[in-house]
Amino acid sequence: MITTRIISTGACVPEQVITNDDLSKIVDTSDEWITQRTGIKRRHISAGENTSYFAINTARQVLDRAEVSAEDVDLIIVASVTADYGTPSLACMVQKEIGAVNAVAFDVNAACSGFMFALSIADKYIKTGMYENAIVIGAETLSKIVDWKDRSTCVLFGDGSGGAYVEKSEDEGILKEELGAKGELWYILTQGYVGCSNAFNEEPLEKDNLWYVNMDGRAVFKFATKAVTKSIERVMESAGVKPEEIKYVVPHQANARIVDIISRKLGISNEKCYRNMAEYGNTSSASIPIVLNELNEKGLIERGDKLLLTGFGGGMTWGTMLISW
């Protein structure tokens, strides 16, 4: 049976680190307030690098580690809500810079679930035989869409990129998955509204901050703890896998308390729910691949280990995937 298997991982984050104490100098907050509510202590923030910079360097890293030539890459998919431009796509910019002249390239937007959606798309192309391999990346520069005067959101987010090189395999790889969306809740997490104002029409805006992230934190929290838990349960049931068989859960790094609740509901120990939001904050579509790369670099996972990747984001969307490493 043909499967899609992760061959290598990579990540790229800004060198500039902003601590909770640094934030307390520009907004009314404190290290204690942020840590207790989110589990976040630091975040890496761009010093001028845009999203393409992080995506390109991640792509170079995964290719180098996979020992694959750029000319042999079939497909590049980048998930992001903070691309450099409305068009071209980040994926096309990556293609040019790494020299992947034969690759099809495009972006996807599923907010913080983006990497899961991108990986799922790559998996389908590979399993249908259309392509044999892909570079899949989640990349964000969230610092450019955050209102740094809004303490309810600016303390949460960080910048960076993570990704993987995947290819066709006869060994176990991606085993089961579920993607989902609940569009009726689209309004609880928004950013970047562009009104239809033109030479023949003027649309007045009700707010002047629609470019920035606007979030109903309580509604997002409620959605995440319910939707992600149910999604993981369905994927595990479909695969016939028990909690003790899972080496690690790789969750979206939005909030430590969300991960705690999901862990408790599923009966999976906290130690298995890997988290690094204390160092990176919420990096949206980049968070899951950054965690995956950290597990890989630290030698915490071995071939054959079963991992649960799971994310949720604006839309509202979610995605869960059971993989054999």
Side-chain angles (χ1 to χ4, degrees):
M1 183 179 71
I2 298 299
T3 67
T4 302
R5 191 173 187 184
I6 295 176
I7 303 301
S8 67
T9 62
C12 178
V13 298
E15 292 185 6
Q16 178 173 250
V17 174
I18 302 300
T19 66
N20 292 344
D21 288 332
D22 292 329
L23 287 178
S24 70
K25 298 173 184 176
I26 63 172
V27 292
D28 181 17
T29 190
S30 68
D31 175 62
E32 181 182 12
W33 190 91
I34 298 170
T35 302
Q36 287 184 352
R37 287 163 177 78
T38 69
I40 298 168
K41 301 286 289 185
R42 295 147 51 98
R43 70 281 298 145
H44 294 246
I45 298 296
S46 169
E49 311 97 331
N50 213 333
T51 313
S52 59
Y53 172 86
F54 304 115
I56 290 163
N57 280 284
T58 296
R60 287 173 174 156
Q61 190 174 63
V62 299
L63 277 186
D64 182 63
R65 291 176 173 180
E67 299 181 347
V68 172
S69 169
E71 291 85 353
D72 293 330
V73 176
D74 294 335
L75 177 65
I76 301 170
I77 308 176
V78 180
S80 183
V81 296
T82 54
D84 296 17
Y85 298 92
T87 189
S89 68
L90 286 167
C92 283
M93 298 173 78
V94 169
Q95 186 218 43
K96 184 264 183 183
E97 292 300 324
I98 68 173
V101 294
N102 298 307
V104 173
F106 60 89
D107 289 358
V108 299
N109 180 347
C112 302
S113 307
F115 182 76
M116 303 306 301
F117 279 64
L119 186 56
S120 175
I121 293 167
D123 174 56
K124 305 309 172 295
Y125 274 122
I126 289 171
K127 283 180 177 174
T128 59
M130 190 167 185
Y131 303 121
E132 294 196 353
N133 61 64
I135 295 174
V136 183
I137 294 170
E140 305 287 5
T141 312
L142 296 165
S143 59
K144 66 183 182 182
I145 63 169
V146 166
D147 181 354
W148 290 96
K149 297 178 182 179
D150 177 11
R151 75 166 187 172
S152 68
T153 56
C154 75
V155 303
L156 302 174
F157 299 106
D159 302 333
S161 175
Y165 171 80
V166 301
E167 66 180 23
K168 179 177 71 175
S169 176
E170 294 184 359
D171 297 323
E172 285 191 331
I174 296 174
L175 303 174
K176 292 286 182 179
E177 69 166 82
E178 177 187 274
L179 302 179
K182 194 169 185 178
E184 65 192 72
L185 295 178
W186 69 265
Y187 59 90
I188 69 174
L189 178 53
T190 62
Q191 181 274 323
Y193 177 75
V194 179
C196 188
S197 178
N198 55 49
F200 305 98
N201 170 60
E202 289 186 8
E203 180 190 10
L205 296 180
E206 295 179 2
K207 298 181 180 180
D208 60 1
N209 67 339
L210 294 178
W211 171 252
Y212 298 119
V213 173
N214 286 275
M215 179 173 65
D216 181 339
R218 290 185 178 180
V220 171
F221 191 98
K222 182 179 179 180
F223 167 82
T225 51
K226 183 176 180 180
V228 173
T229 302
K230 294 295 184 183
S231 180
I232 292 175
E233 287 175 342
R234 288 190 292 265
V235 168
M236 291 179 65
E237 182 179 359
S238 176
V241 172
K242 298 178 180 179
E244 56 267 26
E245 298 178 63
I246 303 299
K247 182 68 176 288
Y248 283 107
V249 176
V250 180
H252 169 46
Q253 304 290 300
N255 185 302
R257 292 198 292 182
I258 291 176
V259 178
D260 288 341
I261 291 172
I262 293 170
S263 168
R264 186 171 67 250
K265 285 185 174 181
L266 292 172
I268 296 177
S269 68
N270 248 318
E271 291 73 21
K272 286 188 174 185
C273 295
Y274 197 88
R275 61 193 78 190
N276 63 7
M277 73 275 289
E279 174 64 24
Y280 300 106
N282 178 348
T283 54
S284 188
S285 67
S287 74
I288 290 173
I290 287 175
V291 171
L292 201 58
N293 181 64
E294 186 170 311
L295 286 168
N296 193 19
E297 285 188 339
K298 289 183 175 181
L300 297 175
I301 46 179
E302 300 176 349
R303 286 302 182 190
D305 285 342
K306 287 184 170 56
L307 307 177
L308 267 171
L309 318 182
T310 187
F312 63 93
M316 295 296 286
T317 62
W318 70 88
T320 301
M321 189 173 284
L322 175 68
I323 70 170
S324 175
W325 187 253

